[in-house]
Amino acid sequence: MTKARLGGDADAPERQLTRSLAPVREVMDAGDLDFNQLLQRDLDDHRVAINLIPYLLKQKSTGPAFFPPIVAVLLPFQKKRPTAFPALDAPRPVDHDEAPWQEERAGNAFRVHRLLDSDGELHGANLGKLWWNESESSLVVLDGQHRAMALLAIERTLSRTWHGSGAQFRPFYEHQVEHLLSEHQVSEVDLAKIEVPVTVCWFPDETGESARPHEAARKLFVDVNKEARPPSESRIILLSDGELSNVLTRSMLSALRGRSDDYLPLYAVEYDNPEVNTSRPARWSVMTNIHLLKMAVNRCIFGPPKYLTNLAQPFGGREKTEERDRFMRAQLDLVSLLPDYVDDAGYPYTLDEIGDAKFPLGRSEALTNRFMDTWGQAILTLLSRTAPYAAHAASLTSFKESWHTTSTHASLAHDALFGGVGIYWTLRDSYDSYQTNRSEDGPKPPKSDVIRAWEALREQESEFDKYRAHEYLGSTRPEVVRRCKLAYGVFNTHACQLGMVMSLGSLWEMRKNQPGGADLKDLPAFAEALAKAWNEFFQIDRGRARDRRFAFSKDSSNPLNQITNMDTPNAVYFRYFWMQALTVPSVWQHLSPWLTDREAFDAGLGQARRLYLDLCIKQQGKALELSQPTLNRTERAEQAEKAATNALKKALRNWFGVTDEEFEAWRTNQPRRAVQPELEFGESSGNEEDGANE
């Protein structure tokens, strides 16, 4: 434990420590990193500027300001890339500053002195010194990064050292610090009194070629924050190695970061949201988010299999861990990847016990490679090449390339959408605070570049809508732009996207039972065929009244989509929509080589349609309760079934060419289910679409 200080002697160790504290975002080049190398949650610059810096600088009649200790870890970096420390030399006694010390060195990266007593043993005072080479090491803030940023913002403003990778955050702080220093007449003497405790850590056992200091730091961050204000769910997915599903989810993000033109750009994925939205991404520019990717992993890899094989099964109930893990081992064919017994750095694993919460971390690369060569590639193929999502990604790239960043506020707005470092949320919070202050009595706050950046973002949303409408529908006429926005209000929901991915999972289960079975290495090619099939569907009747690009939209005549809300559990109904689109003859030809025996497909489609019709009947019943409360239960049930059935019949005839005779024949063979376990409308479905696990 030591301390960092503001003010006073510029060469004092305490002030040098302040300047040496490094937020993760400034140590690592986020654009080049694998997602398994992330160490921290995103900084909330608005919170630091508005709350923490004033807390430090304002004089208080109630006593001094107090910050809990900052936790900083010495980690190996070279040119902003994570590396490894050289092996630690054997301890040896040295004399330094007229005292005996035990010295340990890790090459030229760092050295440690620990005080010895008169007998040559480690002193009971537990006093130590740490030196490090900044070209090979960085002191990374692991906990308390907002407190550390408050110190750094004041230090950098005083010393005019907003340089390097921290320069882009200068607009959030410089004016605020200067204003507070002037308003409260804070002198150099006052600043010298500001000291903050810092716990400096290093990992003596994590040196040498086989060491994993960054993984140890990630685990330390998660452990430290378990009892503090918890990180957001998205940050847990990015940081935690405690669940294999998190590791697999991150591997898809890493694939997008190093993408070729085959996949959607990373900036089309929201992975830095400090909040949780259970139905869709929050940022208008993106098309999906990290939560959807993890849901895709959960359903396709961990199942449980009933959600893929039984298309009449809605989400709900507890899921058995053993069943999920067993399904994962089969989906990734671990028997061909790992031996029956694995020794991972002294920790034993048998193949039949590997699961989401228990897996050999040392074999993570093999596991993620297997996933990305098969399921990961297949999932990203659907999200990248299926027409609505390909159009969104292409339009976003064109929009990015057309953005002019000549001014500070335009550059901030650009980084908020395409930088992925949490700037979007900082701009939003800063603007909300600005609006609140404007409505209060007293001097009105000036409009800074931060506020102008947020206003620019709001203006650019409508411009992006035009880019997307032109890419997807070939027109920027106001009515076309409006309808396109409504269509993407469906396409970009978790329910619609998860339904598409679950279609892949269910159809692959059918493929396993086809003559010749299924070979896991063929899965990406199967996903390619599926994307081509759906794209064939979206080509039908382009520009006409029944343009299939609007087939899932509610803003159309005889809409198929009658779902009253877009909550994630409704993915099972969207799976039906995606599968129904495959039944059009010109579409099915892309899939027929993979599913030569169509009987299983038709049976599953019938189950899915029955499940959806039951939902529509239930919704109609709810509506009739409000619109015609005098109806008795029997009358209401009869009218609800009649209205829902007729609406579905018209939609199937209109969009998919299902004749009335075919529909009635299906109804005869698919009696209505007696039990409807769906969630009641208006009830919360929890933060996850997948229920609780045992």
Side-chain angles (χ1 to χ4, degrees):
M1 177 76 77
T2 183
K3 60 186 176 183
R5 178 187 297 157
L6 290 170
D9 183 359
D11 294 325
E14 294 85 358
R15 192 159 181 190
Q16 290 186 44
L17 178 58
T18 299
R19 291 194 292 268
S20 297
L21 294 173
V24 173
R25 67 186 182 186
E26 297 182 21
V27 175
M28 308 170 92
D29 190 340
D32 295 333
L33 286 180
D34 184 288
F35 274 83
N36 286 317
Q37 296 168 327
L38 292 177
L39 291 168
Q40 255 287 15
R41 68 180 100 195
D42 286 329
L43 264 167
D44 184 344
D45 293 291
H46 173 74
R47 174 189 166 206
V48 176
I50 299 302
N51 296 331
L52 298 189
I53 293 176
Y55 178 72
L56 273 177
L57 296 181
K58 287 181 180 179
Q59 295 288 332
K60 300 171 182 63
S61 59
T62 54
F66 173 73
F67 271 0
I70 294 166
V71 178
V73 181
L74 190 68
L75 291 172
F77 288 93
Q78 290 187 12
K79 297 180 180 179
K80 293 193 172 185
R81 299 288 302 181
T83 56
F85 283 132
L88 203 62
D89 293 342
R92 67 186 185 93
V94 297
D95 289 323
H96 188 266
D97 290 340
E98 300 181 355
W101 304 85
Q102 174 184 283
E103 180 181 88
E104 293 178 285
R105 284 180 176 266
N108 295 322
F110 72 89
R111 62 189 171 106
V112 179
H113 281 183
R114 300 177 69 182
L115 186 64
L116 298 176
D117 60 21
S118 57
D119 297 325
E121 301 294 330
L122 292 176
H123 199 285
N126 200 24
L127 182 65
K129 298 180 182 182
L130 175 67
W131 293 264
W132 65 92
N133 179 351
E134 291 187 347
S135 66
E136 298 186 23
S137 313
S138 292
L139 192 62
V140 180
V141 178
L142 203 65
D143 187 58
Q145 64 167 347
H146 291 91
R147 287 164 259 152
M149 193 64 223
L151 292 177
L152 282 169
I154 298 170
E155 171 65 32
R156 290 171 177 176
T157 301
L158 288 170
S159 58
R160 304 298 180 190
T161 53
W162 283 103
H163 305 315
S165 55
Q168 65 175 311
F169 307 106
R170 176 179 177 179
F172 295 120
Y173 296 109
E174 189 172 57
H175 174 78
Q176 172 75 344
V177 172
E178 290 174 343
H179 170 71
L180 289 169
L181 290 172
S182 173
E183 180 183 9
H184 300 292
Q185 299 181 343
V186 181
S187 67
E188 186 76 16
V189 174
D190 295 326
L191 289 171
K193 297 176 182 177
I194 298 177
E195 297 179 346
V196 175
V198 180
T199 300
V200 178
C201 307
W202 68 94
F203 304 114
D205 295 333
E206 296 294 347
T207 62
E209 292 184 2
S210 62
R212 300 198 290 253
H214 295 273
E215 291 182 11
R218 288 159 59 84
K219 183 178 185 303
L220 178 59
F221 168 78
V222 174
D223 289 345
V224 166
N225 281 277
K226 279 181 179 177
E227 303 304 326
R229 188 182 74 170
S232 65
E233 177 61 25
S234 61
R235 209 23 76 154
I236 288 293
I237 297 171
L238 289 173
L239 293 173
S240 175
D241 292 326
E243 295 179 7
L244 180 58
S245 53
N246 289 338
V247 176
L248 301 182
T249 300
R250 291 199 300 269
S251 69
M252 286 193 283
L253 291 175
S254 294
L256 297 182
R257 170 155 284 163
R259 78 182 186 107
S260 64
D261 292 334
D262 292 337
Y263 292 148
L264 72 157
L266 181 61
Y267 48 78
V269 182
E270 185 175 86
Y271 59 86
D272 62 341
N273 192 344
E275 301 161 358
V276 174
N277 187 308
T278 59
S279 61
R280 68 180 73 239
R283 195 181 315 178
W284 54 260
S285 62
V286 303
M287 53 166 268
T288 192
N289 64 11
I290 192 172
H291 303 290
L292 182 279
L293 295 181
K294 184 171 180 180
M295 292 172 195
V297 169
N298 262 327
R299 287 297 163 234
C300 287
I301 305 302
F302 291 91
K306 65 180 180 181
Y307 290 133
L308 298 181
T309 58
N310 180 4
L311 277 68
Q313 175 68 54
F315 291 138
R318 299 187 66 85
E319 299 171 9
K320 295 181 178 180
T321 300
E322 297 84 356
E323 185 180 16
R324 285 169 48 84
D325 291 344
R326 184 167 56 251
F327 190 61
M328 178 275 295
R329 294 191 292 270
Q331 291 295 78
L332 296 180
D333 190 21
L334 293 194
V335 69
S336 70
L337 181 67
L338 300 176
D340 292 337
Y341 175 83
V342 176
D343 185 299
D344 186 48
Y347 293 92
Y349 296 86
T350 59
L351 186 61
D352 60 2
E353 67 180 2
I354 292 177
D356 193 22
K358 185 176 182 180
F359 62 97
L361 198 58
R363 299 295 184 98
S364 293
E365 184 175 357
L367 292 168
T368 55
N369 286 344
R370 169 60 59 86
F371 170 75
M372 282 308 306
D373 287 343
T374 56
W375 285 100
Q377 186 177 338
I379 292 167
L380 292 182
T381 293
L382 295 187
L383 289 171
S384 301
R385 300 182 191 171
T386 307
Y389 304 116
H392 185 117
S395 60
L396 187 59
T397 297
S398 298
F399 183 61
K400 178 180 184 290
E401 293 171 350
S402 69
W403 196 298
H404 298 291
T405 58
T406 52
S407 64
T408 300
H409 74 269
S411 180
L412 278 174
H414 178 275
D415 288 346
L417 295 187
F418 306 112
V421 290
I423 293 178
Y424 182 89
W425 317 108
T426 298
L427 294 180
R428 181 196 63 180
D429 293 344
S430 297
Y431 187 81
D432 289 345
S433 176
Y434 169 78
Q435 290 292 81
T436 300
N437 292 336
R438 276 175 55 93
S439 65
E440 295 175 351
D441 295 334
K444 304 304 180 187
K447 184 178 287 189
S448 66
D449 285 328
V450 172
I451 305 307
R452 292 189 181 94
W454 183 255
E455 291 176 341
L457 280 177
R458 295 200 304 182
E459 293 169 1
Q460 290 293 339
E461 180 177 0
S462 59
E463 191 65 20
F464 171 68
D465 289 340
K466 296 176 185 177
Y467 273 78
R468 187 171 58 186
H470 181 268
E471 186 69 35
Y472 186 52
L473 299 171
S475 173
T476 57
R477 290 186 294 109
E479 177 60 16
V480 174
V481 173
R482 183 193 70 82
R483 292 197 68 194
C484 183
K485 191 176 182 70
L486 290 174
Y488 275 92
V490 174
F491 284 133
N492 287 355
T493 61
H494 290 169
C496 187
Q497 293 175 6
L498 185 60
M500 178 179 68
V501 174
M502 290 182 67
S503 297
L504 169 71
S506 293
L507 294 172
W508 189 249
E509 289 300 305
M510 296 177 190
R511 167 74 177 168
K512 292 177 182 179
N513 296 318
Q514 295 285 304
D519 190 329
L520 187 58
K521 73 176 188 300
D522 294 332
L523 184 57
F526 181 67
E528 288 270 11
L530 200 50
K532 288 179 181 177
W534 282 323
N535 289 346
E536 182 78 27
F537 174 77
F538 288 120
Q539 288 286 334
I540 298 174
D541 286 339
R542 290 170 68 95
R544 300 180 181 179
R546 293 186 296 176
D547 190 328
R548 299 310 193 275
R549 291 172 295 184
F550 295 107
F552 294 0
S553 178
K554 296 182 179 182
D555 181 46
S556 58
S557 299
N558 300 313
L560 172 68
N561 182 1
Q562 301 281 346
I563 301 173
T564 55
N565 64 62
M566 295 293 107
D567 288 350
T568 307
N570 289 327
V572 293
Y573 309 118
F574 276 97
R575 173 175 54 190
Y576 163 60
F577 297 172
W578 288 104
M579 289 182 61
Q580 185 68 62
L582 298 173
T583 62
V584 178
S586 62
V587 176
W588 180 257
Q589 65 177 346
H590 294 281
L591 213 58
S592 58
W594 295 89
L595 298 174
T596 54
D597 179 4
R598 181 156 171 177
E599 184 176 340
F601 175 88
D602 290 337
L605 180 71
Q607 290 180 326
R609 185 186 294 170
R610 180 72 259 180
L611 182 68
Y612 178 56
L613 180 56
D614 287 346
L615 172 74
C616 294
I617 293 171
K618 188 174 184 178
Q619 290 180 162
Q620 286 285 353
K622 293 284 186 181
L624 287 171
E625 278 189 75
L626 298 175
S627 63
Q628 299 186 47
T630 58
L631 292 176
N632 61 41
R633 178 175 297 181
T634 301
E635 292 171 333
R636 185 166 60 246
E638 290 175 351
Q639 289 193 27
E641 181 165 3
K642 181 178 180 181
T645 302
N646 287 337
L648 181 57
K649 182 193 297 185
K650 290 178 181 178
L652 292 176
R653 184 195 318 131
N654 187 67
W655 297 104
F656 309 101
V658 177
T659 66
D660 292 353
E661 292 77 13
E662 290 171 333
F663 181 80
E664 292 303 331
W666 165 78
R667 285 189 68 203
T668 301
N669 295 324
Q670 291 282 338
R672 186 178 179 186
R673 291 169 26 203
V675 180
Q676 299 182 48
E678 299 93 3
L679 293 170
E680 291 291 337
F681 297 103
E683 290 182 356
S684 171
S685 58
N687 288 338
E688 292 290 338
E689 49 79 28
D690 49 12
N693 298 335
E694 290 182 342

